[in-house]
Amino acid sequence: MAAVTNDAPPVLIVGAGPTGLAAAMSLARAHTNVRLIDRALEPAAYSRAIGIQARTLELFEQHRVVEPFLALGHRLRAANLYSNGHRLARLDFDPLHTRYPYLLCLDQTITERLLTEHLATLGIQIERGVALVGLKQDASQVEAQLLRADGRQETCRAAYVIGADGAHSTTRRLLGLGFSGKTFEQTFLLADLQVDSDLSEDEFHLFASSDGLAAVIPMGGGRHRFIADNVNDVNDGDEANGGERKPSLDLCSAIATQRIDHPLQLSALTWSSHFHLNSRMVERLRTERVFLAGDAAHVHSPAGAQGMNTGIQEALNLGWKLARRMAGQASEALLDTYQLERHPIERDVLRQTAFITQLAEAERGPMKLLRERIMPVLAAFGPLRDAARLMVSELAIQYRRSPLTLERVLDGGPRAGERAPDALVHVMDGPLGRAPGTARLYDLHDPAFFSLFLLVALPGGTQAAMDATGALVEPKVAADPDLDRLCSAVEATLPGAVRIWRVTDASDGEAPSLMHAYGRTRPAFYLLRPDGYLCARGRPASDASALMRHCETWFGGPGAAH
């Protein structure tokens, strides 16, 4: 995408948690002027979110930042639900078609540090001790009143504002938006401690009993996150800052003994906290030039480790759209699709996490019957297990009903609006003088750009071969006027914003193959959005005109969309 000049009004991001950091990463990668503030003087020392799902890891890979997460995180390959000493269900992630068939456990504090370090390489620094205290907007800008920790005040004139400032969002309050929903009655506890037991160290364990829930989540090196509900004596604990009492090791041990039918020993408590669950969300994610994302827009049960991941993916959904608009290459209508695409997903996440929480906590009645009698039967049914894996890992998230999708029927492959899966490809031709060779599709996609993949067939199934001297001889592909016209038209419609790759099936058979991931139709085109979702697919000969109209309508200029 075209670079934005340094004197352009910035996008002001309020809140430097995972959501705000991801938004800044998306915008900065597309050369958009960004300002990132946080009222806290220092990063948080402890955090509640610890799970990074497969889809988030895929997006981190595309942003070239995943490796430090993999090096520091602990991989959980299955989740178990127990009741009264019996395992009712086990959900393993190994069958997922991704390079990351697991839940990666990592402290949110480390996630924030890694994203902050990555932002520094993009020239973005967090301005700490800076609070948002006022908002005023008109048709051309937002005037944000900022207050520094030393008492100095400032007016920041921003093109847009992203409120990623958490459940008690000042941005949401200044907009006068409601936060509808409910607070669960139960008191929960969190604790980080050591656990010695015979429980698997690479699986998540959730125990339901008549006394309440208890969860044991391995985090590597013997460290575990312990979670329990129905904690009646919230005053039992050790003194903490401000006189608040935190759950003690004795309390955690007593709950574990009462609710977990496995011998285990808890020790070395490093952090603990009480909290109440909320299930709330806003009705509008956009108010003119101000957007909400992450916990500022929705809060819910931590069941399924969806919250932080949902916020990060919202930020990446919004980031490329704002970058496109800031570069003067799309209309305001593109920004409206943030609400259209993400609000239904947020609503589904609230419903799913509330249902899982109620199911696990049920002490009597239909929900307990469902958990104890029906769930083991359902869990043994393959298609339901597959659907559950895709839902928890967030690989099932899709925007098929979005107006940004152009769908044409092909022989297999992902549909427009769905996640673009990774695949091994043989590059025939690419941008920036890319030499032919084998690569993964995710390595070719740059989230600062659209990626147009042209899937071509080799004559008679010819593969790359070696000549008598051992040099690689590239197979020849016959000239295709339809493909050439499509390339020229897309480049003219999305100048400086698209990278075009001609690819075919790789010859070494390593999975995932292009045919398995993207079907058999050749030639075919797949257009990837910067956030790694497909916005269009079809056949060059018959669907090129439709693709051009679609790109012109949504991505081709400030006056194009209606």
Side-chain angles (χ1 to χ4, degrees):
M1 294 186 180
V4 175
T5 59
N6 289 332
D7 58 354
V11 174
L12 175 65
I13 302 173
V14 184
T19 300
L21 292 165
M25 178 176 68
S26 178
L27 288 160
R29 191 175 181 90
H31 305 289
T32 302
N33 198 9
V34 175
R35 189 172 177 188
L36 175 59
I37 65 171
D38 195 288
R39 68 187 309 145
L41 292 172
E42 299 289 342
Y46 300 100
S47 58
R48 293 178 180 174
I50 58 172
I52 306 178
Q53 299 289 358
R55 182 54 181 159
T56 303
L57 292 172
E58 288 185 343
L59 296 171
F60 283 173
E61 178 185 353
Q62 293 170 30
H63 276 270
R64 317 298 189 254
V65 72
V66 74
E67 291 302 329
F69 287 89
L70 301 181
L72 296 175
H74 180 69
R75 304 175 188 189
L76 299 181
R77 299 188 175 276
N80 299 284
L81 173 62
Y82 306 85
S83 182
N84 299 316
H86 302 287
R87 185 166 68 184
L88 299 181
R90 181 177 185 273
L91 184 67
D92 62 316
F93 301 123
D94 286 337
L96 289 172
H97 296 296
T98 175
R99 295 179 76 176
Y100 313 104
Y102 44 78
L103 174 69
L104 189 74
C105 269
L106 189 66
D107 279 326
Q108 181 181 322
T109 53
I110 300 177
T111 293
E112 292 176 4
R113 175 173 62 81
L114 294 177
L115 290 177
T116 299
E117 292 171 353
H118 181 67
L119 278 178
T121 69
L122 300 174
I124 304 299
Q125 299 290 334
I126 302 170
E127 298 179 50
R128 292 204 168 273
V130 181
L132 175 70
V133 295
L135 277 177
K136 181 181 178 181
Q137 55 180 320
D138 56 32
S140 61
Q141 66 177 3
V142 184
E143 287 189 2
Q145 301 300 320
L146 308 180
L147 178 64
R148 296 183 177 274
D150 61 7
R152 288 183 296 141
Q153 296 190 27
E154 174 193 354
T155 298
C156 171
R157 290 175 174 83
Y160 297 94
V161 172
I162 300 175
D165 44 349
H168 302 290
S169 170
T170 298
T171 310
R172 186 183 66 237
R173 178 179 58 80
L174 291 172
L175 292 173
L177 296 178
F179 206 35
S180 59
K182 66 177 182 177
T183 300
F184 289 82
E185 296 180 358
Q186 300 91 331
T187 299
F188 288 75
L189 72 78
L190 297 176
D192 287 347
L193 37 70
Q194 295 283 123
V195 176
D196 293 318
S197 75
D198 62 352
L199 295 172
S200 172
E201 285 287 317
D202 63 353
E203 298 185 7
F204 171 103
H205 308 279
L206 177 63
F207 300 87
S209 74
S210 58
D211 297 304
L213 288 177
V216 178
I217 308 171
M219 298 177 65
R223 294 189 314 125
H224 292 70
R225 170 65 55 85
F226 181 73
I227 305 175
D229 71 344
N230 290 329
V231 183
N232 296 320
D233 188 3
V234 298
N235 291 317
D236 179 278
D238 300 321
E239 291 290 348
N241 293 334
E244 182 183 358
R245 299 183 70 84
K246 301 294 186 180
S248 66
L249 178 61
D250 288 343
L251 175 61
C252 295
S253 297
I255 292 173
T257 300
Q258 185 180 45
R259 303 181 186 182
I260 298 177
D261 291 311
H262 282 73
L264 50 79
Q265 183 174 357
L266 310 186
S267 62
L269 176 69
T270 57
W271 172 76
S272 63
S273 177
H274 292 109
F275 72 101
H276 287 275
L277 289 185
N278 286 275
S279 182
R280 300 180 182 277
M281 66 185 298
V282 295
E283 287 303 315
R284 294 203 317 271
L285 298 177
R286 180 187 186 187
T287 302
E288 299 178 31
R289 289 180 167 267
V290 182
F291 301 83
L292 296 177
D295 287 355
H298 51 83
V299 293
H300 47 78
S301 164
Q306 302 293 293
M308 181 179 69
N309 295 272
T310 300
I312 289 171
Q313 293 177 41
E314 283 165 2
L316 300 182
N317 179 288
L318 177 59
W320 74 269
K321 296 171 182 177
L322 279 172
R324 189 85 182 138
R325 179 62 180 139
M326 290 282 287
Q329 297 173 322
S331 78
E332 286 286 323
L334 179 62
L335 302 183
D336 289 331
T337 65
Y338 174 59
Q339 167 86 19
L340 293 173
E341 292 183 344
R342 293 304 307 184
H343 197 263
I345 291 171
E346 294 172 1
R347 187 172 56 244
D348 288 345
V349 168
L350 260 69
R351 290 171 178 168
Q352 292 162 3
T353 55
F355 174 78
I356 294 171
T357 301
Q358 292 165 2
L359 182 68
E361 289 185 326
E363 298 179 12
R364 63 183 67 84
M367 292 294 279
K368 182 178 181 181
L369 177 64
L370 175 62
R371 184 187 71 213
E372 303 287 333
R373 302 298 182 186
I374 301 176
M375 179 177 282
V377 177
L378 297 178
F381 186 52
L384 288 180
R385 281 204 315 274
D386 292 341
R389 289 187 192 99
L390 291 171
M391 180 195 74
V392 172
S393 65
E394 302 194 354
L395 298 179
I397 290 174
Q398 48 82 15
Y399 308 122
R400 288 200 299 265
R401 295 185 179 180
S402 169
L404 300 187
T405 62
L406 174 70
E407 168 66 8
R408 294 293 185 267
V409 177
L410 301 178
D411 184 6
R415 296 166 61 185
E418 294 180 349
R419 143 189 177 264
D422 199 8
L424 194 70
V425 302
H426 187 80
V427 177
M428 307 301 297
D429 186 28
L432 308 176
R434 171 78 185 215
T438 300
R440 282 185 176 266
L441 187 143
Y442 282 3
D443 293 332
L444 305 180
H445 177 59
D446 185 333
F449 299 87
F450 291 86
S451 292
L452 179 65
F453 287 94
L454 306 174
L455 280 56
V456 300
L458 298 177
T462 306
Q463 301 287 356
M466 309 295 285
D467 64 15
T469 66
L472 182 68
V473 178
E474 285 295 320
K476 301 299 182 182
V477 179
D480 188 328
D482 291 328
L483 286 178
D484 293 339
R485 283 193 293 269
L486 179 65
C487 291
S488 298
V490 170
E491 287 180 323
T493 305
L494 303 174
V498 63
R499 291 184 171 177
I500 300 176
W501 303 88
R502 296 194 192 205
V503 299
T504 189
D505 297 84
S507 59
D508 61 8
E510 180 184 341
S513 70
L514 183 62
M515 184 177 296
H516 175 79
Y518 285 86
R520 298 175 177 273
T521 302
R522 305 287 188 275
F525 67 79
Y526 285 86
L527 182 63
L528 273 64
R529 308 175 350 173
D531 63 351
Y533 287 84
L534 293 165
C535 59
R537 71 172 192 168
R539 304 169 192 265
S542 57
D543 301 318
S545 296
L547 177 62
M548 291 309 100
R549 289 193 300 271
H550 187 71
C551 290
E552 289 169 357
T553 297
W554 287 106
F555 316 125
H562 300 289

